[in-house]
Amino acid sequence: MTTDRMLKFVGTEKRMPSKRDADERRADFGEIYAEFDAAGAAEQAGRCSQCGVPYCQVHCPLQNNIPDWLMLTAEGRLEEAYEISSATNNFPEICGRICPQDRLCEGNCVIEKGFKSVTIGSVEKYITETAFENGWVKPAKPVREREESVGIIGGGPGGLAAAEQLRKRGYQVHVYDRYDRMGGLMIYGIPNFKLEKDVVERRTALLADGGVQYHANTEIGRDVTLEDLRQRHGAVLIATGVYKARAMQCPGVGLDGIYDALDYLTASNRKGLGDAVPAFDDGTLDAKGKKIVVIGGGDTAMDCVRTAIRQGAEQVTCVYRRDKANMPGSQREVANAEEEGVTFEWLAAPEAFVGDGSVDGVRCQRIHLGVADATGRQAPQPIDGSSFTIDCDIAIKALGFDPEDLPGLFGAQDLKVSRWGTIGIDFKSMMTSLDGVFAAGDIVRGASLVVWAVRDGRDAADRIHGYLDAKAEAARSAA
Ligand code: FAD
Ligand code: SF4
Ligand code: SF4
């Protein structure tokens, strides 16, 4: 009986898959969590209380049918669990690894208060890894091929989720990316210790096996114009993400040795992939034996500090202007960083970078959190006379990202841009101001999450299908 295996949260404690010891983690870039075994996954899935109104599902951007796949896992029916979990998510093994579950599904699990949430993300990862091991994960196989083609700009999670959904419907799908590999920030932004690259490459290879055609090293706006793509394809999806690092206004910001977070992380990821990276190989972007200061309190900052630790930095300090409770990054990532030896300077803001030619310190001021503003967040106020300096050889700015300069980037002046600089779309049709050109992911929302990009990519694929179907119908009626 189903219920015999479920509702075990009172007697069974929450248990995550085992986490590698911090000393061991520091020495390599491997993922830090092991995987559940069958018994562990079934036991943890069985803690679910099968809520009538599952808040976990409501707060998952993909509205994953979590209670059902937890029940099937508890019963050992893993192929069915995979069927259900993959019906709403193109990359469940990736989301299971890197969603900030504490802010999404698990943070809203009803047993969280009192009993601690069900370990939803780890079970989702387990189900999909088991599916890969057993050969249940298959390339898209359309029932019938369609003549119409779709051009997708950007091979990140948004573009790839749309590509797979469109391919399943039989469209000829072409993904263009300016980089040499597909995957977007899943390849060049997010470090290995959160998401190993073969996990991403396994997916991009599967899409290619299903007939998605990749055009790497092709920058739209430089190598090919957006207009050319519109001529080539029945519809175009822009899923180019946001990459412009937010600037800092601070004396000394032009000194050598101060870098943007993504330059630092991309060099490290490329190195891990076996590429020659001159700016790393000559020591410029390598933290080994150096003192590192990272400025920012989001997940990108956490990725930088933890990368520096693994590169063998002598000392790693994170400076953030609010306190730990008010940082934007996931608390789980902060805990991991603390375990690995990162020092946090909470309630501190950089006042100036100091050094003669190259940076050798960051002068900071202590911060007092004042009255809450209209958004409810307390305004950081510098405390006079509280300056102190942290020595460093490299300073990394991790203050967030904005879109690159649109619409100039695509040479399309009639492409409407929102007041935040992102691409403006009609939220019902997901179409931009250009007929047949759609947009999805970070380039519409601003810097967000992989799971939201997947959601947007899937929605865009549905809208593109509707648009092309209507066009085909109109052509048939006119003939
Ligand atoms: P992207 O992943 O940015 O992909 C866009 C693609 O478009 C890129 O491959 C780019 O090369 C290509 N492109 C851009 N312009 C052009 C052009 N003109 N022509 C051709 N190609 C172009 N999210 C999580 O959920 N969990 C995490 O742990 C997490 N960690 C992160 C860590 C870091 C360091 C960063 C920077 C982000 C992190 N994110 C995380 C956020 C997440 O990676 C993004 O929200 C997500 O990748 C956005 O997907 P996307 O498809 O919209 O864009
Ligand atoms: Fe949770 Fe993310 Fe999986 Fe949704 S996709 S169930 S939010 S881990
Ligand atoms: Fe199960 Fe928690 Fe979801 Fe309820 S909210 S169905 S207990 S996972």
Side-chain angles (χ1 to χ4, degrees), residues 97-100 153-160 176-179 181-186 188-191 194 218-222 239-243 261-262 265 299-301 303 333 401 404 409-410 440-443 446-454:
R97 284 172 165 88
I98 60 162
C99 270
I153 317 174
L160 294 180
Y176 302 84
D177 203 292
R178 63 183 169 187
Y179 290 148
R181 293 182 176 89
M182 297 293 149
L185 288 173
M186 298 191 296
Y188 288 131
I190 302 172
K194 280 165 56 181
T218 308
E219 182 165 338
I220 307 306
R222 195 194 63 183
T240 46
V242 289
Y243 283 84
L262 205 51
L265 292 173
D299 287 335
T300 301
D303 289 348
E333 296 305 304
F401 302 96
E404 279 148 311
L409 184 70
F410 295 114
D442 280 6
I443 193 63
S448 179
L449 294 172
V450 165
V451 66
W452 278 114
V454 173

Side-chain angles (χ1 to χ4, degrees), residues 26 29 264 267-268 280 285-289 306-313:
R26 274 198 292 264
F29 278 81
Y264 174 66
S268 175
F280 182 93
L285 287 175
D286 185 357
K288 190 168 192 279
R306 297 178 67 202
T307 295
I309 290 276
R310 283 159 176 78
Q311 288 176 347

Side-chain angles (χ1 to χ4, degrees), residues 402-418:
D402 287 317
E404 279 148 311
D405 297 323
L406 295 164
L409 184 70
F410 295 114
Q413 292 310 325
D414 41 357
L415 179 67
K416 264 209 188 107
V417 167
S418 75

Side-chain angles (χ1 to χ4, degrees), residues 234-257:
V236 171
L237 174 67
I238 304 177
T240 46
V242 289
Y243 283 84
K244 194 165 84 181
R246 277 195 198 131
M248 272 182 88
Q249 309 294 340
C250 200
V253 76
L255 289 170
D256 286 346

Side-chain angles (χ1 to χ4, degrees), residues 257-259 264 283-287 290-294 359 362 392-396:
I258 304 173
Y259 303 107
Y264 174 66
T284 310
L285 287 175
D286 185 357
K290 295 179 184 163
K291 296 190 178 88
I292 310 295
V293 171
V294 176
V359 68
V362 183
C392 73
D393 305 300
I394 290 180
I396 298 171

Side-chain angles (χ1 to χ4, degrees), residues 48-51 54-56 66-67 70 108-111 118 120:
C48 168
S49 79
Q50 298 285 286
C51 304
Y55 283 102
C56 55
I66 300 164
L70 287 173
N108 291 282
C109 172
V110 294
I111 64 167
V118 178
I120 300 168

